[in-house]
Amino acid sequence: MYLPYLPETPERREPVVLGIESSCDETAAAVVRGRHILSDEIASSADTQSLFGGVVPEIASRAHTEAISAVVRRAVGKSGVGFDGIDAVAVTYGAGLLGALLVGVSFAKALAYALNKPLIAVDHIRGHLAAAYTCAPDLEPPFVTLLASGGHTAVLYAETEGKFEILGATLDDAAGEAFDKVARVLGLKYPGGPNIEKCIREGDGKPVVPMPKMLKGGGGYNFSYSGLKTAVINYCHTMEQKGLPYSKADVAASFQCAAVDVLVEKTMAAARAQGVKTVTAGGGVAANSYLRERLSSECRRAGLRLVLPEKRLCTDNAAMIAAEGAVQYRLGNFAKLDLNAKASIPLSATLGGAGRA
């Protein structure tokens, strides 16, 4: 069942892959044919998690256990191919909450065994990068991509479909992590990104509060977010201690501009240096409206093609896992049934190889 090589056939080029994602608070399943999404189902426990100001691993794991069977059945049913028409089962094996990951991995292993289909281990971050293929089936490397999520922030060069080079990365907090922490300081609910955007709409959206530039013009393509997060905390605490009023919308807008502008500037600088004609983005922060607007305007100005996944495909979903599963299927990278979940995977290991189990 686990062949080291598959002959080149139309089915191999356009495999039908069931993807399963359970790394955090979304239980998701999707079916893709090559790079085309046939179905995409999600059951989220985000509303429950927001009551606690963040994700509680035990609650997330229990929610996955309760939802996964029904979510997978809906995805397969809506795909129109049925379980017999699936070529492989792909699952997120890391990185993420260990208990949550184990629910998805255990279910995927059992399903692959029952169907006698190959099992594919997918790194969550590679899934975010593969999301671009679902909205641009003609997309081919080389290109520069911005990865901006809750766990990682980096500028990458895609040399081939299966190999990425890290041009620069965050030296401390990830962009999404900074959004969540700043939202908490401002008294906003989890998740931070969309609630910060909502808060900004209550003001004029102008960055009137001074914020640090975070390695702007320096540090190569690297980023640093701990100083920006601290600047927001210090500003709010200072104003409160002095008994002075301040606008949360102004603070949120100023933070967002500082956090996003440097992402766009360094991504565009990398694209120029690498001489590519295409820029892509992935990860939850890529759903941020201001980031999408800035990337779009800068790519138009530079004459570059921009491939941005739909917002729903930037946040955690199974379509991106299935899309990366199709990549690994074509490469012949299959996992064994002793596959285990990993809470942490170094970014260099994620991108340097093909993501074997």
Side-chain angles (χ1 to χ4, degrees):
M1 179 169 66
Y2 301 102
L3 301 176
Y5 170 79
L6 290 178
E8 188 64 39
T9 64
E11 290 75 19
R12 184 187 175 200
R13 289 194 297 271
E14 291 286 310
V16 176
V17 179
L18 166 65
I20 297 173
E21 154 65 19
S22 67
S23 64
C24 193
D25 55 353
E26 272 86 22
T27 309
V31 178
V32 304
R33 176 178 282 114
R35 295 179 173 181
H36 302 277
I37 301 173
L38 303 182
S39 64
D40 185 15
E41 294 293 311
I42 294 179
S44 177
S45 63
D47 289 344
T48 300
Q49 308 295 346
S50 67
L51 299 175
F52 302 93
V55 179
V56 179
E58 292 81 1
I59 294 176
S61 300
R62 188 177 302 116
H64 289 310
T65 302
E66 294 172 351
I68 191 165
S69 179
V71 170
V72 168
R73 288 184 179 278
R74 284 203 307 270
V76 174
K78 292 182 179 181
S79 71
V81 300
F83 284 102
D84 290 340
I86 290 180
D87 294 314
V89 178
V91 63
T92 305
Y93 78 101
L97 302 175
L98 189 57
L101 288 166
L102 282 170
V103 176
V105 169
S106 299
F107 190 93
K109 290 195 295 186
L111 184 59
Y113 180 79
L115 297 177
N116 194 31
K117 302 291 185 180
L119 176 69
I120 300 174
V122 173
D123 185 298
H124 184 80
I125 294 304
R126 292 189 70 97
H128 276 305
L129 301 178
Y133 291 125
T134 64
C135 63
D138 64 330
L139 175 64
E140 296 294 341
F143 52 81
V144 163
T145 187
L146 170 64
L147 167 63
S149 71
H152 295 286
T153 299
V155 176
L156 313 167
Y157 171 68
E159 181 180 343
T160 67
E161 198 178 38
K163 185 178 180 181
F164 292 82
E165 177 186 351
I166 303 171
L167 301 179
T170 182
L171 303 177
D172 38 61
D173 290 355
E177 182 182 5
F179 269 88
D180 285 339
K181 289 179 177 178
V182 168
R184 191 175 300 121
V185 171
L186 294 177
L188 306 177
K189 290 184 177 181
Y190 171 88
N195 285 306
I196 282 180
E197 284 199 80
K198 186 183 299 183
C199 178
I200 291 171
R201 289 195 290 270
E202 297 175 2
D204 58 15
K206 295 181 179 179
V208 297
V209 179
M211 292 288 167
K213 298 299 183 183
M214 304 185 311
L215 301 182
K216 180 179 179 181
Y221 301 118
N222 291 327
F223 305 94
S224 174
Y225 280 94
S226 63
L228 177 60
K229 170 199 66 183
T230 301
V232 173
I233 293 173
N234 289 342
Y235 175 83
C236 293
H237 285 180
T238 298
M239 297 297 284
E240 290 165 1
Q241 288 171 356
K242 291 182 177 180
L244 298 175
Y246 65 91
S247 167
K248 289 185 179 182
D250 287 347
V251 175
S254 301
F255 161 76
Q256 178 177 262
C257 287
V260 168
D261 286 348
V262 69
L263 291 174
V264 175
E265 290 164 10
K266 294 199 172 189
T267 300
M268 297 306 298
R272 289 192 296 270
Q274 296 297 322
V276 299
K277 297 181 179 180
T278 303
V279 171
T280 76
V285 181
N288 179 272
S289 298
Y290 179 66
L291 173 61
R292 296 170 77 88
E293 292 166 4
R294 282 294 318 278
L295 275 177
S296 297
S297 62
E298 291 301 317
C299 284
R300 280 196 303 271
R301 184 176 294 112
L304 299 178
R305 180 190 184 190
L306 175 63
V307 177
L308 272 178
E310 297 177 37
K311 287 187 176 185
R312 67 181 181 86
L313 297 177
C314 292
T315 54
D316 292 352
N317 65 90
M320 68 182 192
I321 302 303
E324 176 60 19
V327 171
Q328 298 305 322
Y329 186 96
R330 290 190 292 271
L331 294 174
N333 290 324
F334 303 128
K336 297 180 180 179
L337 290 178
D338 62 358
L339 173 69
N340 203 356
K342 294 185 178 181
S344 178
I345 304 174
L347 190 59
S348 57
T350 294
L351 303 174
R356 291 180 184 273

